[in-house]
Amino acid sequence: MSAYSTDMRAQGFHVLNYFNVTEFGANITYPAPPAKNENDPILWKDPNDFLHDRLEDAVLKTPAPIWTWGKGVIMDCRDPTYRGFLLEQAKRHVESCRIPRESASIAWIG
């Protein structure tokens, strides 16, 4: 994302980076597939493993998950674990300047 923002700025465009706090992942599988390794420190690299191992309680269901684009799922930001995850992501985004060339950043709560 940083390279994209830098390239767009060089062409005279501004980039708006955002993350949508009400949606999670892509190509999510329900029911949960067999976990690859729940003790893996890079569990976050597989959205299915991370979701089902760490954030399952935050998935909104009726009783099946509520799907969004790309087979992502709708999440409940009131869930304490998910809320903590989101706050940590926002903190990293702001404090670390991981995307230094953007013109603006927002979190979408819709």
Side-chain angles (χ1 to χ4, degrees), residues 27-99:
N27 299 312
I28 300 299
T29 304
Y30 263 86
K36 293 180 184 137
N37 183 358
E38 60 226 16
N39 297 317
D40 190 340
I42 58 170
L43 182 70
W44 59 270
K45 287 189 174 186
D46 184 310
N48 274 297
D49 285 349
F50 190 81
L51 176 73
H52 296 298
D53 186 67
R54 307 275 168 85
L55 303 173
E56 181 72 36
D57 290 343
V59 177
L60 289 177
K61 300 173 185 155
T62 62
I66 302 170
W67 300 100
T68 185
W69 75 275
K71 288 198 68 186
V73 291
I74 302 296
M75 303 292 282
D76 182 359
C77 299
R78 297 172 300 170
D79 177 81
T81 302
Y82 186 54
R83 186 172 54 237
F85 169 76
L86 291 173
L87 290 171
E88 178 60 29
Q89 293 300 305
K91 180 179 174 183
R92 290 180 64 203
H93 182 77
V94 171
E95 292 179 356
S96 302
C97 297
R98 296 199 182 276
I99 307 170

Side-chain angles (χ1 to χ4, degrees), residues 7 11-13 19 24 40 45 51-52 102 106:
D7 183 51
Q11 296 179 54
F13 295 96
F19 59 97
F24 182 89
D40 190 340
K45 287 189 174 186
L51 176 73
H52 296 298
E102 76 273 22
I106 61 169

